[in-house]
Amino acid sequence: MKKVFIVPALAAALFLAACGGGENNSTSHEHEETAASSTPAETPAASVPGIENVQVTSHIELQASDDMRFDKDLFKVKAGEKVKLTLKNVGEQPIESMGHNAVVLDQGTDVAAFGGEAFKAKDDEYIPSTFASSIIAHTKLLGPGQTDEIEFTLPKAGVYEFICSFPGHWGTMQGKIVAE
Ligand SMILES: [Cu+2]
């Protein structure tokens, strides 16, 4: 987390250096630009490739397979409205070696760090309590042929990642839900 704060601090220091000498004639326009560029921004929806071709839905339907993939990885929903997510494990391998779930993460969650913690949470179906506040919703861990359905609401516009948190899966089993 420290790095997150170093960047604005540096920007502020540079800004102060640039404004050194105490002149009062720097314009307010310059101040605005500095403030904007030093604020860590959430990923704007427009920056997600292919999102312009995705229709808004209130029902996310996902399949997970033995090749460690979801069949889809990009969805668009309405912020503040209830969304249903259905996950089906269409694989054949046993849950112990190839279980799947779908975990919807809050904006800005460090997915790699989450995956690392999930690895250690076998007794909780790989849902790490250390990241409880980053989890919007999650399905059960599913074995072959099993299906689970959950409902949740994405609180505000932006980009939310979803992953399978079974050990080693998040690298290939991840996608984005864009709320608008
Ligand atoms: Cu998986």
Side-chain angles (χ1 to χ4, degrees), residues 57-123:
T57 185
S58 59
H59 188 187
I60 292 171
E61 294 182 87
L62 278 176
Q63 293 187 352
S65 54
D66 285 345
D67 61 354
M68 286 197 276
R69 301 275 174 187
F70 288 122
D71 63 330
K72 301 188 207 89
D73 61 8
L74 190 54
F75 296 92
K76 189 189 288 179
V77 304
K78 288 274 183 213
E81 292 186 11
K82 198 161 275 184
V83 175
K84 191 190 289 184
L85 183 153
T86 307
L87 173 66
K88 178 168 190 187
N89 181 348
V90 297
E92 295 175 355
Q93 296 188 41
I95 191 169
E96 293 78 15
S97 60
M98 189 54 75
H100 299 296
N101 62 14
V103 184
V104 181
L105 299 169
D106 203 357
Q107 292 186 50
T109 302
D110 183 335
V111 177
F114 184 94
E117 283 296 299
F119 196 93
K120 298 184 256 176
K122 183 170 192 289
D123 291 345

Side-chain angles (χ1 to χ4, degrees), residues 159-174:
V159 181
Y160 298 78
E161 310 269 350
F162 67 90
I163 64 166
C164 170
S165 70
F166 191 89
H169 287 199
W170 67 266
T172 53
M173 299 188 75
Q174 60 174 280

Side-chain angles (χ1 to χ4, degrees), residues 2-14 37-40:
K2 274 179 184 165
K3 278 184 190 163
V4 174
F5 294 102
I6 287 168
V7 175
L10 261 179
L14 289 169
S37 64
S38 64
T39 304

Side-chain angles (χ1 to χ4, degrees), residues 41-54:
E42 280 154 353
T43 312
S47 73
V48 176
I51 192 63
E52 65 277 7
N53 301 321
V54 178

